[in-house]
Amino acid sequence: MAGSGLVLQLQKQLGDYTTSLFNEGFLDDQFNQLQQLQDESNPDFVVEVVSLFFEDSDRLLNELAKALNYQNTDFRKVDAHVHQLKGSSSSIGAQRVQRVCIAFRNHCEAQNIEGCLNCLQQVKQEYTLVKNKLETLFKLERQLLAARRSSFPM
């Protein structure tokens, strides 16, 4: 019976942690919608989609850093990268990243290099935070799954 106590403890921990991610604005309802698309036939759906978001974001943040490092910044190019980042963060519900991207695009439109550089730092910070939070969330989910399997062997 000790196993089922662990399952309940992990369920509560996972529930509380997930709630905090929504309350602190890291995630929005889009993340819930992603989770609803996950089922028995595709149990890793959310992890796969979020992993693609991580890959995409890492690439875009590198591109942005390069594009903003040039003497003659091509603001259209910068804006295109920010637009992509905004889209992918919005598709997984990474609300705080998405918000910074909106401000970032305004600075691109105004061709404000200082504003763009500040937003790049902010977006990197918010991205790192949400990435760490989601990795912790997935770790808790794996622990819960392992505890369920050992408590209720098939």
Side-chain angles (χ1 to χ4, degrees):
M1 259 342 242
S4 63
L6 177 63
V7 168
L8 290 173
Q9 183 187 339
L10 284 169
Q11 273 177 323
K12 181 178 178 353
Q13 198 179 349
L14 179 62
D16 291 349
Y17 190 74
T18 305
T19 301
S20 77
L21 294 183
F22 285 93
N23 290 345
E24 293 168 30
F26 285 104
L27 298 175
D28 63 22
D29 193 50
Q30 183 62 35
F31 189 78
N32 284 333
Q33 290 178 25
L34 266 188
Q35 288 182 311
Q36 287 166 10
L37 295 172
Q38 183 166 292
D39 59 20
E40 301 294 314
S41 67
N42 199 354
D44 297 325
F45 178 74
V46 175
V47 172
E48 287 168 9
V49 170
V50 170
S51 295
L52 287 173
F53 164 70
F54 291 160
E55 284 173 32
D56 209 31
S57 299
D58 288 336
R59 180 183 57 79
L60 288 167
L61 289 168
N62 284 333
E63 293 291 328
L64 281 165
K66 272 192 260 175
L68 289 169
N69 209 10
Y70 287 119
Q71 211 67 45
N72 297 323
T73 303
D74 182 347
F75 286 98
R76 280 189 318 236
K77 189 176 184 179
V78 172
D79 185 58
H81 293 319
V82 177
H83 181 66
Q84 275 186 291
L85 186 59
K86 179 179 168 272
S88 61
S89 59
S90 145
S91 72
I92 68 143
Q95 191 177 31
R96 285 165 52 159
V97 174
Q98 186 188 349
R99 279 206 192 117
V100 178
C101 287
I102 292 167
F104 203 150
R105 292 196 72 196
N106 291 336
H107 289 298
C108 286
E109 202 175 311
Q111 300 201 349
N112 175 348
I113 190 72
E114 285 304 312
C116 285
L117 290 168
N118 286 337
C119 281
L120 178 61
Q121 290 315 308
Q122 284 181 313
V123 86
K124 279 181 177 177
Q125 192 178 344
E126 288 298 345
Y127 167 67
T128 302
L129 283 170
V130 80
K131 184 176 183 181
N132 291 337
K133 301 272 184 190
L134 285 167
E135 284 171 347
T136 301
L137 179 72
F138 295 149
K139 193 171 99 183
L140 285 170
E141 286 176 347
R142 285 193 302 274
Q143 287 173 345
L144 177 58
L145 197 61
R148 280 187 179 142
R149 284 187 183 134
S150 61
S151 297
F152 311 104
M154 300 289 167

